[in-house]
Amino acid sequence: MPTYEAVIGLETHIQLNTASKIFCACKADSWDDAPNTNICPVCTGLPGVLPVLNQAAVEKAALLAAAMGAELQPESFFDRKNYFYPDLPKGYQISQYDQPLARGGAMDLPTGDGQTRRVNIHKLHLEEDAGKTVNRADGARLIDFNRCGVPLVEMVTGPDLRSADEAAQYLIRLRQLLRWLGISEADMEKGHLRADANVSIREVGSTALNTKTEIKNVNSIDSLREAIKAEIERQTRAVDSGQPIEPWTLGWDEKTGKLSMMRSKETEADYRYFREPDLLPIVLDEEWRAAIGSSLPELPLARRTRFMQQYGLPEYDADILSGERALSDYYEAAVSAYGGDPKRVSNWLMNDILAMLNEGGLSAAELKLTPRYFAEILKLMDAGKVNTPTGKSLLQKVQASGSSPDALVRSESLGQVSDESALRAQAEEVLAANPDQVASYRAGKEALMGWFVGQMMARTKGKADPKTTQRILVELLKQ
Ligand code: ZN
Ligand code: MN
């Protein structure tokens, strides 16, 4: 049997987080609202109304285009994409067809082995969303028009992805980028980010593009990965047994974990595209396009690479710390306030502070434990002023109270006890109170050292300097 490789392209729809819809003043995000409460004559397609383009939608889409390295077109147009469906009240969707907002662009996807996979984007365009059809158990079909006219960006990749995992990685990186830029909530469960996958297979070494199928209605990254895997396996079995691949549209059933055929694919000509006569072209002059480009922040993949180079972080750390913009800003602020080993800051951040963020459902920008306070606690530990367990609890106390670490160390007398004579006196008391353990230790049961240290910690409420304590205990127990 020949070996095959998968050829996968993703078509994504991204809901922009503008306040209002793309062509009217209705609220754009109506996830929590009752059906048909955020609608008006424009987004429900009543006769005689005119759409007005939302500038914020153009700006946000342009920012994404710039981040993808796509070229913003000086002039682009809206078109009508005609089809008949109950949740599309106008009978057409306002979209962009042959003159889109931006062309070209790519994302360089880290593949984990230090290599990258370039995923090309053919074009990026603006369009409006359709409504939502709800099929009720009693057979009734209900329609909610709230989503009509919500601004979307459609972005289609080339057939550049080679496995289900790469497709999932692309979506993960895209979601990260959208949140980083602050242009979409990118929550797949709420439909802010939707992906359809085109899948075909070919023999390894071939450059042919064979007949592809399209997988629709996948609403999580895990489902997308599973659905693509299942389809690659299905196509492989079909080709090996001599059956042709038909250009089907497939749906993914979350509950059964199975693909089902939805319909044989429509061709583009069915949509009878023509120019939208009620909207002017989008004209973006050179100055405006340049301003968008220069307003771009450092992007997550660039920051990830810089973290490895500038701070000597392993790929794993750099990946996590650049996962979210607020977290990576927090890390850099803490490194600069600390002034010591950046890896030490990373270790503490990834263990204690990430746990704190996850437990509280917080963003790093919301922490009362500011990067400066975090750095101060690291310095207190480095200087031996507090020990590690106290340092850990100090992180929690600062987060709970918002007080500075120094103030807490003073007010709660958390300072580490490293005064020799005080510790020696305590240790003598511990030994005097536990003659049996002392005898066993002296008889060779040296594992009891941990127990003695524990007694000392209990007496000093965890403030004893562990190194000094152990040295004193060893000395006293020798006698
Ligand atoms: Zn409206
Ligand atoms: Mn579309």
Side-chain angles (χ1 to χ4, degrees), residues 21 24-26 38-43:
K21 292 183 178 180
C24 63
C26 295
N38 293 310
I39 55 174
C40 75
V42 173
C43 53

Side-chain angles (χ1 to χ4, degrees), residues 345-357:
V345 179
S346 165
N347 291 345
W348 276 84
L349 217 168
M350 292 201 302
N351 291 312
D352 295 73
I353 295 181
L354 272 190
M356 192 182 277
L357 294 175

